[in-house]
C-alpha cells in the first residue's frame, strides 16, 4: 500500500486490514512515498518523519511492515518503480497486490508506466467516503487485474488531520495514539 502517510491514519489501517483479510494476504507492506509528484503544490513533511509515523502505526500488527524503497530512491516517486523494486527484492514467486483508495485509482491511467503496472501487480481499489467509484469507472481497465472492494467507511484524510492540528483541534481516534504523540513531539503541522 503506497501513500504519502502525512500522517498515516485509521482510514489507511482499516483499508489494509480489510484487504489483507479478504484476499488472504501474507503481509501488507506500507510504502511511504519519497517525492509525491501529484503533491508538488503543497509542502510535504520530511520523508523520515512520514516513514517513522508509518512504522509506529503498523508496529503492533505482525503482518504489517514498512518498506523504504520509495524514500531511499532519488527523484519523484512512481508506482511502477515501487513495484519493480518490491518484485526484485521479494522474487518472482510472490503475488503482488497494490492497495489503493478510490481517488488514487481514478488517476491510475495518468500514472507513468500505466501499461506495465498491470503486469507487475493486481490492483485492489478500496472504497473511500465521498469518492464514488463504480465498476463502470474501471471497465476500461483489465478486469482480472483490478478489483474493487468495499471497506468499512472511514471519513478520514491526512489533509483533514493536518488542518485539525494547525487549528488546535483534536486528532485523537482519527490516528493511532502514537501518531498523536509523535506529531506533538516533532511539532508537525503547527501553524
Ligand atoms: P492527503 O489528504 O494528504 O492526500 P490521504 O488521506 O489521501 O492524504 P494518502 O497518503 O494520500 O492519504 O493515501 C494513501 C492511499 O490510501 C491512497 O490510495 C488513498 O486513496 C488511500 N486512502 C486514504 N485515506 C483513505 C480512507 N479514509 N479510506 C480508504 N482509503 C484511503
Ligand atoms: Mg491522498
Amino acid at each position: 500500500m503506497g501513500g504519502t502517510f502525512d500522517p498515516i491514519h485509521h482510514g489507511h489501517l482499516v483499508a489494509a486490514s480489510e484487504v489483507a483479510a479478504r484476499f488472504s494476504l501474507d503481509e501488507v507492506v506500507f510504502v511511504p512515498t519519497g517525492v509525491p509528484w501529484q503533491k508538488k503544490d503543497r509542502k510535504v513533511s520530511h520523508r523520515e518523519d512520514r516513514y517513522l509515523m508509518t512504522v509506529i502505526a503498523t508496529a503492533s500488527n505482525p503482518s504489517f511492515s514498512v518498506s523504504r524503497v520509495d524514500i531511499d530512491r532519488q527523484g519523484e516517486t512512481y508506482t511502477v518503480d515501487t513495484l519493480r523494486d518490491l518484485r526484485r527484492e521479494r522474487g518472482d514467486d510472490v503475488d503482488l497486490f497494490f492497495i489503493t483508495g478510490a481517488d488514487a485509482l481514478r488517476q491510475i491511467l495518468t500514472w507513468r508506466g500505466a501499461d506495465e503496472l498491470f503486469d507487475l501487480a493486481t490492483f485492489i481499489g478500496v472504497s473511500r467516503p465521498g469518492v464514488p467509484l463504480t465498476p463502470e469507472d474501471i471497465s476500461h481497465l483489465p478486469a482480472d487485474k483490478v478489483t474493487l472492494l468495499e471497506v468499512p467507511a472511514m471519513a478520514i484524510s491526512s489533509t483533514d488531520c493536518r488542518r485539525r492540528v494547525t487549528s488546535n483541534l483534536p486528532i485523537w481516534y482519527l490516528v493511532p495514539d502514537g501518531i498523536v504523540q509523535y506529531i506533538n513531539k516533532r511539532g508537525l503541522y503547527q501553524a
Side-chain angles (χ1 to χ4, degrees):
M1 180 168 191
T4 313
F5 302 131
D6 190 18
I8 189 165
H9 55 66
H10 280 131
H12 300 127
L13 296 164
V14 164
S17 163
E18 189 71 10
V19 175
R22 301 293 190 94
F23 288 83
S24 305
L25 305 186
D26 297 315
E27 184 183 6
V28 178
V29 186
F30 290 76
V31 191
T33 301
V35 181
W37 56 271
Q38 309 97 321
K39 294 182 180 169
K40 277 182 194 146
D41 49 327
R42 73 162 179 92
K43 189 175 171 284
V44 173
S45 300
H46 193 283
R47 56 182 71 197
E48 295 300 338
D49 281 324
R50 295 183 290 103
Y51 170 75
L52 284 175
M53 287 193 280
T54 309
V55 170
I56 291 165
T58 57
S60 59
N61 188 323
S63 57
F64 285 179
S65 65
V66 186
S67 167
R68 291 186 61 95
V69 288
D70 284 353
I71 57 175
D72 286 343
R73 193 184 316 104
Q74 295 295 311
E76 294 177 346
T77 302
Y78 292 94
T79 299
V80 66
D81 297 323
T82 311
L83 291 171
R84 280 188 198 133
D85 286 353
L86 289 176
R87 166 70 62 206
R88 198 175 305 127
E89 243 177 51
R90 280 146 201 267
D92 283 334
D93 49 350
V94 299
D95 289 329
L96 292 179
F97 293 77
F98 191 81
I99 305 170
T100 173
D103 55 318
L105 186 61
R106 275 185 173 285
Q107 303 178 338
I108 202 168
L109 282 183
T110 71
W111 289 359
R112 187 162 92 174
D115 31 341
E116 191 192 341
L117 286 174
F118 300 113
D119 294 333
L120 288 161
T122 302
F123 283 71
I124 314 290
V126 299
S127 53
R128 183 166 188 185
V131 187
L133 190 70
T134 63
E136 291 76 63
D137 289 324
I138 59 156
S139 56
H140 57 292
L141 303 175
D144 56 329
K145 287 295 185 176
V146 185
T147 307
L148 298 185
L149 180 70
E150 187 84 25
V151 299
M154 303 288 267
I156 307 174
S157 72
S158 301
T159 299
D160 182 51
C161 292
R162 292 191 302 274
R163 285 190 187 136
R164 293 180 71 88
V165 173
T166 308
S167 316
N168 283 314
L169 289 169
I171 54 167
W172 292 110
Y173 317 115
L174 299 175
V175 302
D177 293 357
I179 301 307
V180 181
Q181 287 150 351
Y182 186 90
I183 289 169
N184 286 337
K185 177 171 156 178
R186 297 276 299 134
L188 303 180
Y189 318 128
Q190 301 299 328

